[in-house]
Amino acid sequence: MRIAITGSIASGKSTVAKILRDEGITVFDCDKCAHELLEANARCFDMIVKAFPDAVISGVIDRKRLASIVFNDTKKLRILNNIMHPLIKEMMLEQSEGTDLFIAEVPILFEAGWQDLFDRVLVVCSKEDKMIERLIKKGYTEKEVIARIANQMDIKAKIALADDVIYNNGDLAGLKDEVDKWFKRIRNAE
């Protein structure tokens, strides 16, 4: 079975993935994969440098600068996604081969059109004020937060396309309980 975990930025997708990892379950991380693709030895490094020279400082792609460029220009975001998404998808599919259970954290699952690669989709969602609060605590400005949220698919549309939904508006213990219940249901349905 292939399961995707998705949701809006700062909704708790990574926390859900961590809860599963803490239980010994492998979860593929598309964001981590994307970060690796920005390293100097990555297959798409030269293409990104050529497309976004303003994001390069001393021969290194500055992720914060790149994010500032692409999250304020949908055309540039599309260019970056066209470079990186095929490679991330390839790496994800390679990892899933030969596994009985494959779970991937895919932040922009629906935006990338990858939902058909999975048997089930779990959407993790939070109230917008909680998401903004979490991102500001991580050091983002309110302008950066609003730009990132604006570039994502509406959460109501994601929920409508999901097989399962976990609401993350409480504390970590409550989220862990919800994840445990969800995972037990999934395992019992197999």
Side-chain angles (χ1 to χ4, degrees), residues 106-161:
V106 189
I108 55 172
L109 176 79
F110 298 115
E111 295 90 336
W114 294 353
Q115 62 271 20
D116 292 339
L117 299 174
F118 296 90
D119 302 306
R120 294 195 72 82
V121 174
L122 168 65
V123 169
V124 181
C125 57
S126 289
K127 293 177 184 173
E128 191 168 302
D129 62 328
K130 288 265 189 198
M131 295 178 343
I132 292 169
E133 180 185 316
R134 290 175 188 143
L135 288 168
I136 288 174
K137 281 183 181 176
K138 286 185 174 183
Y140 292 94
T141 67
E142 191 168 342
K143 182 181 175 185
E144 290 170 327
V145 170
I146 291 167
R148 287 178 183 231
I149 291 172
N151 275 298
Q152 293 193 346
M153 182 178 182
D154 181 70
I155 192 63
K156 290 177 187 168
K158 289 182 182 189
I159 290 170
L161 295 168

Side-chain angles (χ1 to χ4, degrees), residues 4 12 29 32 37 39 47 73 87-88 93 115 134 144 160 170 190:
D29 185 340
K32 182 179 177 193
L37 289 173
E39 298 295 324
M47 287 186 283
D73 186 329
L87 296 171
I88 295 169
L93 291 175
Q115 62 271 20
R134 290 175 188 143
E144 290 170 327
E190 282 188 83

Side-chain angles (χ1 to χ4, degrees), residues 79-92:
I79 291 168
L80 180 64
N81 288 344
N82 287 339
I83 294 169
M84 295 184 72
H85 283 181
L87 296 171
I88 295 169
K89 181 179 176 183
E90 179 185 316
M91 294 166 81
M92 182 175 64

Side-chain angles (χ1 to χ4, degrees), residues 164-176:
D164 305 291
V165 179
I166 290 178
Y167 294 91
N168 179 27
N169 294 310
D171 62 9
L172 184 59
L175 179 60
K176 185 177 182 331

